[in-house]
């Protein structure tokens, strides 16, 4: 139909650091050498954590566990852009985010071993407990942003979810409210191309996920999710925009789930080795290392040192997690309500 | 003391709590300029502004989900769901989240939200405008369920619900909104959650009801030495008051407008059968809505527990 | 951020018949004079139905009732584009759609008087019962489209909802599935600028509603919803596209709710007389009449005749609706399940 | 006859029904190539193609809503919800629509959908992977609720559920999926919905259970002359079988893993207290999960009704 155009959009994509470790200097965010090394060390630590979790699971020392392998740049790059006062609402795969924000690794192991005490976040870390029902944390971030705005707190709220999460009604209702109230939220989608066995193109027919933001009257951008500088820059800019009062931003981190969905899954059933291999070239750690090497920030010795350091931290965390005494059965009742109900007291005393 | 109806009493409770505590905010559909479809929030946006009385998009799950986030951050949101028939899309946020925030975070975070919603039949309304599915919410540990039966207790219970540190579903009978006026103090007062009230003492039979059915029960007990209990809080319910009465009378009739099967009457009856069996002289009877899809107005009178049906049940248990 | 563009969109708007009754002939759909007269007569009939409903409600002979005043072009224009075999999933305000599709008016009155027997649709009309919970009918249309596609039936599925309905999770989940499976659905939003007291711009921050379709990988278009030719053409094209197997379309009909939300509402509480008056100029019936007059299809006598005719039909419908005997109480049980349960039988026999 | 586990039996039922009736189709998350996270739909996409075994986006409400639309159009969709903890967002489509399609259209349209979902604890799973909230669905007239307890009855009940003209929630115990093998005929057979089964006859006490708790009950009744009822269909439940047994034994213990308050045990107990009170020799006891948020694995064993707790309840009622 010949009609008149009443609105138009373009979806942008940000790439800074390529697979060879070469950065587009014109786009490069301001990061000190120390920052960059810290980022690298957090990737190594997260990967060490993750690898150990998979081992522990195999040995029956953890329950089902979702690996973050391949998504380190998306997680650490974005979390690194957060300030202490910002709030984070993660999904369930964000161990890299937790670690970057200073969450004690032993508590993560404790949680994945089936002990909810691992989620008792200390008061100075404003990251919310893991969220298992996909996408349902998005309205929480929106509500927290309403509250922060109402209180006049100049902070940003960050929430994480996957490509699968974009299909949920709560994604829609949350995004829509964020748009209407122009809230200080940064929505980060780790588009890792898979939701268990459902590939990205069967999850939604839109060419990008980023474009979904325009349905809610705010901006969406796609970034190379395996490029920590792009992720960092996009998040940093979005947080600044949020704190300026200019509303929400949606960032699609284009990345890949290198591992099985969880330890209960077998991805070879539904995806090809070729696809996985192709993504190996895009490893977020590889390109950062090449970049640092060129800048003189990386040496074999450095690598050995931080690997050792990470192993030490993780050894310690496992030991600590496993030395915690099992919870007392009465604790099962303690957090239902502020006070026990008479019926609970009766139940606690034994049938 | 002014004589007010339940709409006014609830409005008063909201106003007083908002004055007292800046962290109390309201959100929902049409709660602002319109003052809510039942006028519960009338005047509040004028007094407290759009930051504290938020008209939201048409998004029930989003409303409760946002309320959860606000509560986590430290506010005390009071969310309105326009009718109980539209609370179903919020069940995921209520059961998967609101109920579990304290438990999941081992007390680091809490979820002091109130979800107010008009419930029940009796105003000849459209489909899904007459639901009474309170029992669903009583099966979810971590959630409290409160149902006032009069302007006076509506105010006191709502204030307690707002101050409660845990999520509360607050059900307001549409039929009662404008039916009765009562003296309601403009002074602050609260009524404790989890406590039932003996509306009338008696020796021969215990009648248990809540919300609008309480009034039908009171109309039905004439000429009977009946003890009438207004439960007020369904979850957690006041076991002690119930058992004490039942042990005295030995006969029980429970009345609710929800369908019989798995209604809250089932829990009451089962609890009594467990705790006071030896005192019972007669079967425990439930007078309830029928096990049918809540019908449209033409069937409404037939569906609702009538005075006649309640009387018949009382006569029945009195035979023993 | 300087980035590269990876996707772009434009939102189109269709206008054919202006307020003066002048049509853009280059865009005019092919409609016979008889078609145009039939459309006009359906508008008059719908308006007569609607006016009577409001009167009956005032007299306590109907329950709360949502007027369609002002939305006739959107409803009748789109329904007129449907074939007998197409399926329609309405919202709750689509009395004009029902009437256009041949639904007996007396059954509509019966329903609005609180008698569900008014929804027992005869087998040859494939329009679904009214849907009260906003937006929740959208996935039904999607499911019916999956079924029609699976069966190889070359039909279109049309579903109606309001601007408020676009905020619901089910809108999102339904639209997304329609995109993924490329289903033969035509989504029609009557953007009447209000959801009870919530104005369109507080419902969502996107400039148009039409653009929301791009989030799901298919096309959205805005049409002048008070112009029956635009609505008809957009719907007809979308249905043809659907039947060709080219997937779903979203049509935003830009219109106005001239009346209170329902008879229980008082719109003067939240919107200005000026706004309402401005929209009176855009009355869908006015411009169609001017158009027809110019074409020699409309005369005063014609108007008198069809008004009389409509009044007759509606008088008859009211009489028929009110002469129906009240349902037998046992009917309340009859449609819970195919067969009564033992417990229901006991309940039916009286407590 | 091949000995198969419950996963295989359910797979068999689906395969047979899909072969028999082209209107039977499957939809859900990961039901296609992956064969479902519990492998229930393994091999079906290969046999029946992507048009009949549909991998959907991650949209529970959309899945059930689409199934409703498919059923209205004449198909017989079997929707899988990956875990019962993710069924909550579908409650709106189930209660506002699936349950009401027949009633709303006065029989012109019907909604023969089956919603299958793994339920219950016992496999040390994540949060929301061990829910057992069957009672919620029993409070909604228009919906049926079926819970098999063995491979044999899983197959027969699933086939009946698929053929049933009304919506059925079909709950599959994750703990039972691979726990027991049984002879399951590859011939077509059905088991009627709404009928319980007496697993073991007895005179002294009636035990009522369903799904995985049935097995725990069977482990607990050694040395007792107990009648054990496997309810199989919770809504509508087989009242006749229950009352007959209770009238014979005069003692009842009900076991379920859901929290006690407003669990389905409440309805059973209340029905018995209404219909068979005069036959009862002892209080009706419920052995259930506690009234707490379903805990993570470290607490799982403590949460679940144990053989010990069931024995204790039996001893208790035997005192009378
Ligand atoms: C509401 C809901 N439905 C289903 C599941 C089961 N499930 C867990 S993760 C997952 C896929 C999530 O995909 P995505 O959002 O892309 O995140 P990713 O796993 O790739 O990190 C599914 C279906 C769930 N946790 N929550
Ligand atoms: C899920 C749900 N929430 C709330 C309501 C109450 N309600 C009825 S109509 C309406 C506004 C609908 O607005 P819109 O979708 O724009 O349709 P319109 O009334 O303008 O035709 C509301 C909030 C409802 N029916 N369903
Ligand atoms: Mg993913
Ligand atoms: Mg509207």
């Amino acid at each position: 139909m010949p009609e008149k155009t009443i609105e138009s959009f373009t979806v942008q994509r940000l790439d800074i650091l390529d697979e060879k470790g070469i950065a587009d200097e014109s786009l490069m965010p301001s990061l000190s050498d120390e920052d960059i090394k810290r980022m690298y060390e957090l990737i190594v630590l997260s990967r060490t954590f993750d690898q150990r979790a998979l081992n522990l699971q195999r040995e029956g020392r953890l329950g089902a566990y979702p690996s973050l392998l391949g998504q380190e740049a998306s997680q650490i790059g974005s979390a690194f852009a957060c300030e202490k006062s910002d709030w984070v609402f993660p999904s369930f795969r964000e161990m890299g985010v937790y670690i970057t924000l200073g969450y004690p690794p032993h508590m993560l192991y404790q949680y994945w071993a089936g002990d909810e005490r691992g989620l008792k976040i200390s008061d100075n870390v404003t990251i919310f407990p893991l969220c298992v029902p996909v996408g349902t944390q998005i309205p929480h971030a929106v509500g927290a942003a309403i509250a922060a705005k109402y209180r006049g707190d100049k902070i940003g709220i960050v929430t994480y979810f996957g490509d699968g999460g974009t299909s949920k009604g709560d994604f829609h209702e949350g995004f829509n409210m964020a748009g209407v109230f122009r809230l200080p939220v940064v929505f980060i989608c780790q588009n890792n191309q898979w939701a268990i066995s459902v590939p990205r193109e069967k999850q939604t027919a839109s060419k990008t996920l980023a474009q979904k933001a325009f349905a809610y009257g705010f901006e969406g951008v796609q970034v190379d999710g395996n490029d920590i500088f792009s992720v960092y820059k996009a998040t940093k800019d979005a947080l600044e925009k949020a704190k300026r009062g200019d509303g929400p931003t949606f960032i699609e981190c284009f990345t890949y789930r290198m591992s099985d969905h969880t330890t209960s899954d077998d991805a070879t059933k539904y995806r090809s080795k070729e696809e996985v291999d192709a993504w190996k070239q895009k490893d977020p750690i590889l390109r950062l290392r090449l970049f640092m090497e060129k800048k003189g920030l990386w040496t074999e010795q450095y690598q050995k040192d931080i690997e050792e350091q990470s192993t030490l931290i993780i050894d310690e965390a496992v030991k600590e997690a496993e030395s915690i005494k099992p919870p007392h059965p009465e604790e099962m009742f303690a957090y239902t309500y502020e006070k026990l109900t008479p019926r609970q007291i009766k139940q606690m005393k034994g049938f | 003391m002014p004589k007010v109806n339940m709409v006014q009493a609830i409005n008063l409770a909201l106003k007083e709590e908002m004055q007292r505590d800046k962290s109390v905010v309201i959100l929902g559909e049409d709660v602002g300029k319109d003052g809510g479809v039942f006028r519960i929030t009338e005047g509040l946006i004028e007094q407290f502004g759009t930051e504290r009385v938020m008209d939201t998009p048409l998004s029930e799950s989003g409303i409760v989900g946002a309320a959860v986030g606000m509560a986590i951050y430290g506010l005390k949101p009071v969310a309105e769901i326009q009718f109980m028939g539209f609370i179903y899309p919020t069940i995921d946020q209520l059961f998967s989240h609101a109920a579990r925030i304290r438990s999941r975070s081992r007390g680091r975070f809490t979820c002091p939200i109130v979800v107010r919603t008009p419930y029940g039949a009796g105003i000849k309304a459209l489909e899904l405008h007459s639901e009474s599915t309170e029992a669903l919410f009583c099966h979810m540990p971590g959630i409290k369920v409160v149902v006032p039966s009069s302007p006076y207790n509506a105010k006191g219970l709502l204030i307690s619900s707002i101050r409660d540190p845990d999520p509360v579903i607050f059900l307001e009978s549409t039929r009662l909104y404008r039916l009765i006026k009562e003296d309601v103090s403009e002074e602050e007062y609260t009524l404790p959650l989890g406590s039932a009230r003996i509306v009338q003492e008696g020796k021969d039979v215990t009648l248990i009801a809540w919300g609008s059915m309480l009034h039908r029960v009171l109309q039905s007990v004439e000429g009977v030495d009946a003890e009438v209990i207004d439960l007020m809080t369904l979850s957690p319910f006041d076991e002690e008051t119930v058992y004490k009465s039942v042990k005295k009378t030995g006969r029980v009739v429970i009345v609710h407008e929800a369908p019989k099967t798995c209604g809250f009457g089932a829990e009451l009856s089962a609890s009594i059968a467990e705790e006071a069996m030896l005192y019972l002289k007669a079967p425990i009877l439930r007078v309830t809505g029928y096990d049918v899809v809540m019908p449209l107005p033409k069937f409404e009178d037939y569906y609702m527990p009538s005075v006649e049906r309640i009387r018949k049940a009382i006569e029945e248990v009195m035979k023993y």
Side-chain angles (χ1 to χ4, degrees), chain A, chain B:
Chain A
M1 322 170 201
E3 305 138 314
K4 61 173 176 293
T5 296
I6 51 172
E7 182 67 320
S8 60
F9 312 95
T10 60
V11 184
Q12 307 296 315
R13 155 115 186 181
L14 181 65
D15 290 276
I16 298 177
L17 184 65
D18 72 12
E19 291 170 32
K20 302 204 178 66
I22 298 165
D24 181 335
E25 290 299 335
S26 72
L27 295 172
M28 189 66 193
S30 108
L31 281 166
S32 69
D33 288 352
E34 278 321 297
D35 287 339
I36 293 170
K37 282 170 76 177
R38 180 84 195 118
M39 280 178 159
Y40 187 76
E41 287 155 25
L42 283 164
I43 298 188
V44 172
L45 181 60
S46 301
R47 210 167 258 198
T48 311
F49 174 93
D50 197 62
Q51 205 46 58
R52 187 69 59 90
L54 294 172
N55 293 342
L56 292 171
Q57 194 281 332
R58 233 169 281 130
E59 292 165 14
R61 292 154 72 187
L62 291 189
Y65 172 81
S67 166
L68 68 104
L69 191 70
Q71 302 178 211
E72 293 87 353
S74 294
Q75 296 195 7
I76 291 150
S78 52
F80 203 83
C82 294
E83 293 180 89
K84 223 40 208 139
S85 52
D86 296 330
W87 275 58
V88 176
F89 289 81
S91 177
F92 57 85
R93 200 186 290 286
E94 280 74 41
M95 266 54 75
V97 174
Y98 278 94
I99 287 171
T100 303
L101 296 178
Y103 199 83
H106 79 269
M107 290 178 73
L108 294 173
Y109 286 130
Q110 197 184 352
Y111 171 72
W112 289 107
D115 182 347
E116 40 264 274
R117 291 175 303 172
L119 295 181
K120 189 174 167 67
I121 293 163
S122 74
D123 283 1
N124 62 339
V125 185
T126 46
I127 180 168
F128 200 66
L130 290 158
C131 178
V132 168
V134 166
T136 56
Q137 73 280 22
I138 295 173
H140 306 165
V142 170
I146 293 174
K149 195 178 171 188
Y150 169 63
R151 288 266 175 88
D153 298 343
K154 281 269 161 289
I155 65 161
I157 314 281
V158 178
T159 181
Y160 290 88
F161 48 88
D163 42 313
T166 65
S167 297
K168 285 284 287 182
D170 275 358
F171 164 95
H172 181 68
E173 301 197 5
F175 267 58
N176 191 45
M177 277 198 194
V180 168
F181 296 118
R182 266 179 92 82
L183 297 172
V185 189
V186 181
F187 297 103
I188 298 183
C189 177
Q190 291 171 74
N191 171 8
N192 63 6
Q193 315 302 332
W194 292 92
I196 308 187
S197 74
V198 178
R200 159 61 189 82
E201 63 278 9
K202 284 195 185 167
Q203 193 61 244
T204 186
S206 67
K207 190 173 157 205
T208 71
L209 299 179
Q211 73 199 58
K212 291 180 187 288
F214 295 101
Y216 311 103
F218 59 89
E219 210 188 340
V221 58
Q222 191 184 80
V223 308
D224 180 345
N226 285 10
D227 161 12
I228 199 162
F229 297 146
S230 288
V231 174
Y232 173 80
K233 182 176 161 57
T235 312
K236 185 108 186 140
D237 289 352
L239 277 167
E240 277 166 15
K241 171 181 152 193
K243 290 170 198 179
R244 277 198 312 273
D246 290 339
T249 309
F250 179 28
I251 301 171
E252 175 190 0
C253 299
F254 199 86
T255 180
Y256 197 78
R257 193 194 81 209
M258 294 301 296
S259 177
D260 293 329
H261 170 66
T262 67
T263 49
S264 312
D265 179 49
D266 172 12
T268 62
K269 280 201 73 174
Y270 52 76
R271 67 182 189 186
S272 71
K273 197 176 164 320
E274 290 72 46
E275 181 182 307
V276 181
D277 285 346
W279 276 91
K280 276 195 187 139
Q281 313 310 315
K282 300 183 202 282
D283 188 353
I285 198 169
L286 205 66
R287 62 176 86 174
L288 183 56
R289 179 185 312 175
L290 290 171
F291 173 86
M292 288 168 67
E293 202 173 357
K294 276 179 218 133
K295 285 202 108 187
L297 297 174
W298 185 91
T299 61
E300 297 269 356
Q301 186 57 43
Y302 171 71
Q303 181 70 20
K304 253 185 78 182
D305 287 351
I306 61 169
E307 275 178 13
E308 248 167 45
Q309 177 68 13
S310 296
T311 305
L312 224 67
I313 294 170
I314 294 306
D315 284 348
E316 203 48 53
V318 172
K319 209 157 70 191
E320 190 163 353
E322 297 195 333
S323 69
I324 292 164
K325 267 190 271 174
H328 190 280
E330 296 204 348
E331 235 201 271
M332 192 173 75
F333 294 88
Y335 297 102
T336 319
Y337 303 100
E338 190 194 37
K339 292 200 189 82
L340 292 172
T341 67
R343 177 164 283 197
Q344 287 182 310
I345 292 171
K346 222 182 301 169
Q347 291 179 347
M348 245 169 64
K349 287 193 183 138
F351 184 66
Chain B
M1 261 193 302
K3 263 206 185 316
V4 303
N5 65 25
M6 202 192 267
V7 169
Q8 296 163 315
I10 295 170
N11 180 274
L12 206 58
L14 291 170
K15 195 166 79 184
E16 285 178 25
E17 280 303 282
M18 290 179 82
Q19 275 165 343
R20 198 187 58 84
D21 181 354
K22 279 199 82 157
S23 61
V24 178
V25 298
I26 288 175
L27 73 164
E29 295 159 15
D30 307 293
V31 295
K33 226 175 189 179
D34 195 39
V37 292
F38 282 104
R39 305 287 172 258
I40 302 287
T41 52
E42 192 131 81
L44 299 181
I45 196 168
E46 287 80 6
Q47 186 171 351
F48 300 103
T50 52
E51 281 215 303
R52 295 186 67 189
V53 183
M54 284 170 266
D55 269 325
T56 65
L58 211 164
S59 301
E60 280 77 10
S61 182
I63 290 168
V64 172
V68 169
M70 291 157 82
I72 289 168
Y73 198 87
L75 299 190
K76 292 186 141 275
V78 181
E80 176 174 308
I81 296 298
Q82 211 157 64
F83 282 93
M84 193 174 197
F86 311 133
I87 206 172
Y88 302 130
T90 77
I91 284 186
D92 189 31
Q93 282 293 340
L94 288 169
F95 291 1
S96 303
H97 291 296
R100 299 175 204 241
I101 298 293
R102 180 186 290 281
S103 163
R104 184 183 291 141
S105 68
R106 299 281 100 180
R108 160 75 167 92
F109 296 107
T110 59
C111 191
I113 66 172
V114 177
V115 178
R116 295 179 36 249
T117 190
Y119 90 94
I123 56 161
K124 306 259 182 222
L126 293 175
E127 191 191 22
L128 285 154
H129 286 61
S130 305
E131 302 286 292
S132 175
T133 42
E134 61 273 15
L136 303 178
F137 302 92
C138 301
H139 191 41
M140 194 45 66
I143 300 253
K144 297 183 179 180
V145 180
V146 175
V147 192
S149 60
S150 81
Y152 176 80
N153 61 42
K155 183 183 163 191
L157 289 167
L158 182 53
I159 292 181
S160 295
S161 298
I162 293 171
R163 296 185 190 176
D164 195 272
D166 288 302
V168 177
I169 310 287
F170 192 84
L171 301 175
E172 304 164 2
S173 160
T174 54
R175 210 171 76 89
L176 293 185
Y177 268 150
R178 295 186 160 82
L179 195 70
I180 353 168
K181 290 198 169 198
E182 238 179 11
D183 289 335
V184 172
S185 167
E186 289 189 353
E187 303 281 286
E188 170 183 317
Y189 67 93
T190 60
L191 292 174
L193 304 191
S195 293
R197 125 188 119 99
I198 309 249
V199 183
Q200 161 180 324
E201 297 201 17
K203 287 195 307 290
D204 287 346
V205 53
T206 300
L207 279 108
I208 312 175
W210 51 92
S212 95
M213 282 302 109
L214 178 75
H215 302 275
R216 207 150 274 186
V217 163
L218 290 171
Q219 288 161 31
S220 312
V221 293
E222 224 174 274
V224 187
D225 191 4
E227 182 138 308
V228 177
I229 298 178
D230 178 5
L231 218 49
M232 298 198 297
T233 301
L234 304 194
S235 178
F237 79 98
D238 183 347
E239 295 188 76
E240 204 184 314
T241 300
V242 169
Y243 303 148
K244 208 170 135 201
S245 175
V246 170
K247 286 178 182 172
K248 176 172 74 177
T249 64
R251 297 184 188 87
V252 189
V253 174
I254 300 158
V255 183
H256 61 66
E257 59 178 289
K260 180 177 198 167
T261 302
C262 284
F264 192 71
E267 179 55 46
L268 287 172
S269 176
S271 295
I272 294 165
E274 209 158 60
E275 302 284 343
M277 178 68 95
L278 300 183
Y279 299 84
L280 290 174
K281 300 173 184 147
I284 305 170
L285 296 190
R286 292 177 280 170
V287 184
T288 68
Y290 296 111
D291 283 309
V292 299
V293 170
M294 179 68 214
L296 292 191
K298 293 272 182 213
F299 280 132
E300 192 174 89
D301 290 340
Y302 186 67
Y303 172 85
M304 298 275 277
S306 61
V307 169
E308 197 192 326
R309 282 168 65 200
I310 300 169
R311 284 225 177 101
K312 229 166 123 188
I314 297 172
E315 278 162 30
E316 180 67 26
V317 297
M318 290 306 295
K319 282 188 197 149
Y320 294 84

